[in-house]
Amino acid sequence: MNLLLARLASAALLLVAAAALHAAPLDNARQLIVVTSETWDSTQGQLQAFVRDGKHWRRHGQAFPVALGRTGSAWGLGLHPAQTDGPQKQEGDGRSPAGVFALGSAFGYAITRPGTAMTYQPMLESSYCMDVPASPFYNRIVDAKKVGSAAIAGSTEPMRLDLHNQGDVRYREGFVIAHNPDNQPGKGSCIFAHLWRQPGEATAGCTAMPEVRMQALLDWLRPQDTPRFVLLPRAEYQRLQAQWKLPALEGAVR
């Protein structure tokens, strides 16, 4: 009897594992931000938002151009199954993470951000995102006044860029893309959607856009709708569209 129960339990675990393996990473999402690019090495992309009515995705608003990493994109760590065919995101490679990701908090230079339902984190002069792989705070935004100046040594990501880089506007408004949620050292950190300084200017690995577009997204996003962020080259999008239950694209990138 015990052997039979053990075999049944083992079979049940295998079924659960198989179901998890084949589960689509967008199953619970009702809001979706999709960014597509021409190739892995493209530094430009196009963003289209979607909402789900029942089982069907429909477009929300118009598509618009965005800037990607200075060397393109690469598979990141997120909600999607691991992918081995293509470049893999590493710290400092200048690539935007590809895959399906949850959204973290919104952030900005203002103390409050009226109009957004997202959790909002105001950035201070002492706010840093840790991009040092050996740091215990790797891939986290911290306040140097709370963790100590020694803890943020070596970080190249002050979050008040306007105060540290001659009025830089890029982090005036944005939101965290939850890449590398387990904070694996060296696998990439501090991935955001943020403003661009000038149209099309490539990033260090984030997704950049005009301020008016960012404001519209922040006003639209609702945590209760489990929003997700997808970034993929078009060929990968087409390959995974049915499996991941991605919405149909119509002339995504030209």
Side-chain angles (χ1 to χ4, degrees), residues 4 17 31 39 54 57 60 117-118 151 165 182 202 233:
L4 176 59
Q31 288 185 320
T39 70
W57 290 107
H60 173 81
M118 297 180 70
N165 191 32
D182 296 328

Side-chain angles (χ1 to χ4, degrees), residues 58-106:
R58 61 176 176 83
R59 290 174 174 245
H60 173 81
Q62 298 297 313
F64 59 88
V66 293
L68 305 179
R70 62 178 180 270
T71 55
S73 55
W75 284 118
L77 303 176
L79 302 174
H80 54 281
Q83 305 290 312
T84 57
D85 187 11
Q88 305 293 310
K89 174 67 184 171
Q90 301 293 328
E91 184 66 44
D93 63 2
R95 291 183 179 269
S96 298
V100 181
F101 307 94
L103 272 58
S105 64

Side-chain angles (χ1 to χ4, degrees), residues 37-144:
S37 63
E38 285 287 0
T39 70
W40 285 115
D41 296 328
S42 299
T43 62
Q44 308 296 308
Q46 182 162 294
L47 186 152
Q48 175 67 62
F50 293 87
V51 294
R52 178 146 55 186
D53 295 329
K55 295 182 179 180
H56 303 288
W57 290 107
R58 61 176 176 83
R59 290 174 174 245
H60 173 81
Q62 298 297 313
F64 59 88
V66 293
L68 305 179
R70 62 178 180 270
T71 55
S73 55
W75 284 118
L77 303 176
L79 302 174
H80 54 281
Q83 305 290 312
T84 57
D85 187 11
Q88 305 293 310
K89 174 67 184 171
Q90 301 293 328
E91 184 66 44
D93 63 2
R95 291 183 179 269
S96 298
V100 181
F101 307 94
L103 272 58
S105 64
F107 62 82
Y109 297 166
I111 298 301
T112 61
R113 206 294 182 178
T116 184
M118 297 180 70
T119 300
Y120 178 79
Q121 187 174 3
M123 295 295 103
L124 310 172
E125 185 175 6
S126 53
S127 297
Y128 285 79
C129 190
M130 290 306 302
D131 55 359
V132 180
S135 170
F137 301 110
Y138 182 65
N139 199 30
R140 291 170 51 192
I141 297 174
V142 298
D143 184 348

